[in-house]
Amino acid sequence: MKKMQTQGKIRWGYLALALAVGIAGFCGVWFGRQQELTPYAGVQLAAAQRMQRGEALLLEVVLEEGIAIEEIDLNRTGLIGPEWTPLTTTPGNEDAKRTSLDPNFAALLVRYFKEAGLEAGDTVAVGTSGSFPGLLTATLCAATEMDLDVKVSASFGASMYGATRLELNICRIMRLLKEGGIVEYQLLAVSPGGNNDYGESALFPDSRETIAQLAAQEGVEYIDYNDIEKSIARRLELFGEDVDCFVNVGGASVNSGTSAYTLDFPNGLVTDPPRIPTTPNRGLMYEYAARGVPVINMLNVRQMAADNGLAFDPVPLTQPGEGGVYYDIVYPVWVAVLAAVLMAAILILGRLRYAKEQG
């Protein structure tokens, strides 16, 4: 009976020593961590440089056509739109719009695509509003650099300070980039955007007519149902079954959905989605998540910047190659293994010593 009682016991000194080794091991792992360039840093840099060239091309158009540059456009990009136009749908944050024009967001999209397991020739479906022309440009530049097959469905509506100009709406921005040899994509359809994807505006009674005229210039299908469920279903048909990743840019209701779960969808790359609603108004993000397709949700710019080592609202804009997005954090695993082995040895020795002393 005495022998059974002594089994498993150990003197306090050995426990303290094992604890000290464990703490030392943790500190060694933490303070020994290092940054290493990602295996695809070269592709990231090329995508960021491509985005920088694209923004320079768009600025040339702005200057040549005499399009006014907004006072809040601190970096003079020409890509910050006016607050209110017939295309404005919702409030927006000017600092987030400025941040999204950082060319290193294209490097972030390369990271997302790589982590989603995409390879050349894979199909990326993009649902975009006009809210973040910078993030859409980043998406297209990254996909082009990686030779991905991009299919786009765009809505003209934009939150404040996005692509709210009629003369430089989101579809024209894409077209200019494509014609300039910066990006490649296929535009499948356009829609009004805004509430219920219908484009009505209390401030601009003629907004729907204005948007219809813009849509006619694109020469693609115009989705105009005033029925969010039909709008979602039609886009699913157009994108087809062969989709390897879905990207949402902005907060268009057809992409984000109008269910009670809309705001529950995480930001950034999502391969393990939250609870998926079953309602038909759940939006394309949930539709593709339900199919097991990786989803990239780009709406909270501040969070994306913070999570990936990118500057928030930099003046001037950072240059391609700058930021933590090009690096992985590597921990010295051998230190953790060594500490674990030493702790186990100390505890075993302590048990044996205690058992021997107790006879």
Side-chain angles (χ1 to χ4, degrees), residues 60-82:
E60 287 181 9
V61 172
V62 168
L63 296 176
E64 289 174 0
E65 297 185 2
I67 299 174
I69 295 179
E70 299 295 305
E71 289 185 7
I72 63 170
D73 190 353
L74 304 181
N75 292 307
R76 308 294 289 173
T77 64
L79 296 176
I80 301 295

Side-chain angles (χ1 to χ4, degrees), residues 177-355:
L177 291 172
K178 186 175 184 178
E179 292 171 352
I182 303 296
V183 302
E184 284 293 333
Y185 66 90
Q186 180 185 3
L187 181 63
L188 301 181
V190 295
S191 70
N195 187 39
N196 217 35
D197 199 27
Y198 199 56
E200 289 183 318
S201 170
L203 294 177
F204 300 91
D206 297 331
S207 61
R208 281 187 39 78
E209 180 180 344
T210 300
I211 292 172
Q213 293 172 355
L214 295 177
Q217 299 174 15
E218 298 306 319
V220 296
E221 181 176 336
Y222 184 41
I223 299 175
D224 188 29
Y225 293 133
N226 196 21
D227 185 321
I228 196 67
E229 296 174 14
K230 287 184 178 179
S231 294
I232 293 169
R234 181 55 184 151
R235 283 168 170 80
L236 288 171
E237 292 175 356
L238 289 171
F239 283 134
E241 296 297 324
D242 184 21
V243 173
D244 299 296
C245 181
F246 177 73
V247 180
N248 170 54
V249 182
S253 56
V254 70
N255 300 320
S256 301
T258 58
S259 75
Y261 295 90
T262 294
L263 298 179
D264 292 340
F265 204 92
N267 206 49
L269 173 63
V270 179
T271 55
D272 184 19
R275 179 182 177 184
I276 299 175
T278 58
T279 54
N281 64 340
R282 62 187 179 179
L284 290 173
M285 290 194 299
Y286 278 115
E287 289 288 343
Y288 282 108
R291 291 162 170 75
V293 175
V295 174
I296 299 173
N297 179 27
M298 294 194 290
L299 182 60
N300 189 333
V301 176
R302 182 183 290 274
Q303 180 184 334
M304 283 194 298
D307 290 347
N308 295 280
L310 296 175
F312 187 77
D313 203 9
V315 180
L317 283 175
T318 51
Q319 294 297 306
E322 298 179 358
V325 71
Y326 296 90
Y327 297 89
D328 288 325
I329 302 298
V330 179
Y331 295 90
V333 178
W334 67 270
V335 175
V337 173
L338 178 60
V341 170
L342 289 174
M343 289 175 66
I346 292 169
L347 293 174
I348 292 172
L349 180 60
R351 282 186 61 183
L352 293 175
R353 182 69 177 273
Y354 186 86

